[in-house]
Amino acid sequence: MPYAMAVPISLPHPAMVDADWADSFAITIDDPDITPERAAQKIMDGRPVWMGYLLALRNAMVRPLGLKTAPEPDADVIGLFPVIERGDDFIVLGMDDRHLDFRLTVEVEKFQCGQTVIRSSTLIRRHNMLGRMYLGTIMPFHKAIVPAMLNGAFASR
């Protein structure tokens, strides 16, 4: 059964050249035809149930601070996040806010043996102390959520 693993990522990254923090997770699957958009959709659809509770708690806590809790109503979104850019082997989702900007990239790398590596990377540019504190607070959850979402989307049933 495939499972998600942390993988190295280097900065600067083309999806956000001025990011000051990043991490990346990857999973290898047996689907040579998957597109980045379909992979991103599956990842968002694979959210664990408990993530919804964490997101509701996060939104209740940051709303008084004036931080965004949802994308613009007319945005092109996948799951919770607006699409920033599409390419043949990647898609970039993300949002900009006053405390930090983030990008979620989903990249697909196809191999002749019929396997595809799906890599989900998070890139952050912190603007101020609130951004640093926010990232520090959510990091333990983020490190559990991203692999859980990849596993939920692609692990064999």
Side-chain angles (χ1 to χ4, degrees):
M1 168 164 43
Y3 61 94
M5 298 178 3
V7 294
I9 185 168
S10 297
L11 294 177
H13 189 280
M16 180 182 269
V17 295
D18 53 354
D20 60 12
W21 184 92
D23 73 357
S24 190
F25 295 86
I27 192 166
T28 302
I29 64 169
D30 293 321
D31 183 350
D33 299 319
I34 194 159
T35 65
E37 186 153 351
R38 181 70 186 124
Q41 189 65 55
K42 285 180 68 83
I43 291 167
M44 292 299 148
D45 291 347
R47 289 188 312 254
V49 173
W50 52 265
M51 185 181 160
Y53 300 117
L54 285 177
L55 190 59
L57 176 63
R58 176 251 183 226
N59 288 344
M61 292 173 66
V62 303
R63 190 173 288 114
L65 300 173
L67 301 182
K68 293 180 181 176
T69 58
E72 298 298 321
D74 60 345
D76 174 15
V77 298
I78 294 180
L80 306 169
F81 306 121
V83 176
I84 305 285
E85 183 181 359
R86 288 177 169 90
D88 291 340
D89 59 355
F90 71 93
I91 192 163
V92 180
L93 312 176
M95 290 177 65
D96 296 342
D97 210 339
R98 62 187 182 107
H99 67 308
L100 59 77
D101 302 337
F102 84 92
R103 299 294 180 269
L104 167 64
T105 66
V106 176
E107 301 167 89
V108 297
E109 184 177 0
K110 299 176 182 193
F111 293 95
Q112 298 250 345
C113 63
Q115 290 191 314
T116 301
V117 173
I118 299 182
R119 181 179 173 128
S120 175
S121 302
T122 304
L123 305 156
I124 305 284
R125 176 180 46 228
R126 297 169 286 189
H127 296 300
N128 50 38
M129 182 59 75
L130 179 58
R132 287 186 282 285
M133 289 172 34
Y134 178 81
L135 186 61
T137 301
I138 67 160
M139 194 47 46
F141 304 104
H142 171 83
K143 296 281 186 188
I145 289 169
V146 176
M149 290 174 70
L150 285 165
N151 290 332
F154 301 109
S156 299
R157 307 266 182 241

